[in-house]
Amino acid sequence: MQGGMLKLETMKADSKEIFLDAGDMSVTINTWANHEGASIMVHGKGPELPLRMAGAFRWEELDAILVALAAARAA
């Protein structure tokens, strides 16, 4: 560091972790401690638990994704 100051902060916040076993895949949702969204991981089954999808979205973005998925399924 060039003449700068190092500042370290630690905070503890509550969040929720939800697990869903859906047969040939599993879904994990971690809600954000600030209540603004969630992180998602979808894994396939098998010895290596292959990652099929991961993302971090605000609730408004997740709502838009749900609407788009429902429209795609109904089409």
Side-chain angles (χ1 to χ4, degrees), residues 54-69:
F57 303 96
R58 293 183 350 252
W59 291 118
E60 296 82 7
E61 295 165 333
L62 288 167
D63 291 339
I65 290 168
L66 289 171
V67 169
L69 287 170

Side-chain angles (χ1 to χ4, degrees), residues 6 12 61 71-72:
L6 183 62
K12 182 178 177 183
E61 295 165 333

Side-chain angles (χ1 to χ4, degrees), residues 13-73:
D14 291 329
S15 64
K16 292 179 190 163
E17 191 167 51
I18 296 99
F19 297 98
L20 172 69
D21 186 350
D24 63 344
M25 68 176 198
S26 62
V27 179
T28 304
I29 307 288
N30 291 293
T31 61
W32 298 350
N34 65 4
H35 307 288
E36 292 183 6
S39 300
I40 302 169
M41 289 189 301
V42 179
H43 289 274
K45 291 290 176 155
E48 298 175 359
L49 288 175
L51 182 64
R52 297 181 61 189
M53 181 185 84
F57 303 96
R58 293 183 350 252
W59 291 118
E60 296 82 7
E61 295 165 333
L62 288 167
D63 291 339
I65 290 168
L66 289 171
V67 169
L69 287 170
R73 188 176 219 180

